[in-house]
Amino acid sequence: MKEKFVTLSFIIAPLFIFSQVGINTPNPQNIFHVDGANDNPSTGVPGSLQQANDVIITSAGSVGIGTTVPAQKLDINNGNVNGAIKITDGTQGANKVLMSDANGVGTWNALAGSWLGLLRAGAATTVPSKIDFTAGTVVGQGGAVDITADTVSVPVSGLYEITISGWSQGTTSPYLTTWSIRKNGTEIASPHYGSPIASMGTDVSTTNFFTLNSGDVISLFLSDTFNPAAAAGIAQKVSMAVKLIR
């Protein structure tokens, strides 16, 4: 009986000494090693292409995905393929970054200044009249600029800065330039400037801040007169920039 116990001890002991588990590999590189494609060599260190389908847990509790030597608690090596991580929690969306709160809990949030919708080279010849833009661009992901409908659609909910600039001239003296900033067709602001002499014209620049929802559509009009001044008759070189702040 004693001899049998000694023999069994020699058989079991290595399992406790090395205590490494390999799945699809007889050559685990650490405490727990999964070779997804079963393509690792039986000896030695797997190459980079062989490690690409591996998952490993080290004795320090680090996890490697696509690498057998994780440099951090979680080390993901996705090679040259875009999109190494996907987190879907209901706050995800285009043009967002993962931000943590005071306790380290992360959620997706819009990145300040990461999106700009710009309409430019606009003009109007009557009052009231929608500004007719002839050029535009989007910087960032999502949203849209439509130079046919003369609108900017925002990509995510957040705080936006809307800057209007341009030149206007009235038909009578004095006159008042009134921009009508509209969200989904409803006016949300009417900044205005004027001049006592129609022939002088007015260079106008104004910045406003609004909380907008994803998909809101922004447009710009040369609006009605505010008595007793006469309205501006024309507007030229108009631009409207809609910028995400936070």
Side-chain angles (χ1 to χ4, degrees):
M1 178 63 73
K2 183 176 181 180
E3 292 177 355
K4 292 181 179 179
F5 178 77
V6 171
T7 302
L8 185 61
S9 297
F10 278 109
I11 295 174
I12 297 176
L15 298 177
F16 290 96
I17 293 172
F18 296 101
S19 62
Q20 293 183 336
V21 176
I23 297 179
N24 272 354
T25 176
N27 180 31
Q29 298 297 298
N30 221 296
I31 296 298
F32 181 76
H33 185 177
V34 178
D35 177 12
N38 193 18
D39 60 355
N40 289 356
S42 58
T43 60
V45 178
S48 58
L49 292 178
Q50 294 166 327
Q51 293 183 40
N53 55 71
D54 290 8
V55 176
I56 200 165
I57 299 176
T58 72
S59 57
S62 298
V63 177
I65 301 175
T67 176
T68 59
V69 189
Q72 301 294 332
K73 280 297 182 182
L74 176 61
D75 190 341
I76 300 175
N77 184 351
N78 205 31
N80 295 322
V81 180
N82 292 328
I85 301 174
K86 180 178 180 180
I87 302 175
T88 304
D89 66 347
T91 65
Q92 74 279 356
N95 202 41
K96 288 189 173 184
V97 295
L98 192 63
M99 295 184 181
S100 66
D101 62 12
N103 298 315
V105 178
T107 56
W108 292 108
N109 287 271
L111 179 63
S114 60
W115 188 88
L116 172 71
L118 175 64
L119 287 170
R120 53 190 176 84
T125 56
T126 59
V127 178
S129 178
K130 194 175 191 179
I131 301 297
D132 179 20
F133 294 98
T134 58
T137 187
V138 170
V139 179
Q141 297 181 356
V145 165
D146 189 335
I147 61 173
T148 301
D150 303 307
T151 58
V152 175
S153 301
V154 301
V156 295
S157 299
L159 179 65
Y160 286 82
E161 173 188 293
I162 300 180
T163 299
I164 311 297
S165 62
W167 180 86
S168 65
Q169 186 174 18
T171 55
T172 60
S173 301
Y175 75 91
L176 195 65
T177 298
T178 304
W179 305 111
S180 176
I181 303 173
R182 303 186 184 185
K183 179 183 73 173
N184 303 327
T186 301
E187 185 174 88
I188 56 176
S190 55
H192 48 274
Y193 295 85
S195 173
I197 303 174
S199 60
M200 292 178 61
T202 306
D203 285 315
V204 179
S205 180
T206 179
T207 299
N208 299 263
F209 297 88
F210 305 97
T211 298
L212 303 176
N213 294 318
S214 175
D216 278 348
V217 177
I218 305 301
S219 57
L220 180 66
F221 283 70
L222 186 64
S223 192
D224 290 319
T225 178
F226 281 73
N227 290 324
I234 61 174
Q236 298 178 0
K237 301 177 181 179
V238 181
S239 66
M240 179 172 67
V242 182
K243 180 180 179 181
L244 176 65
I245 299 299
R246 61 182 300 271

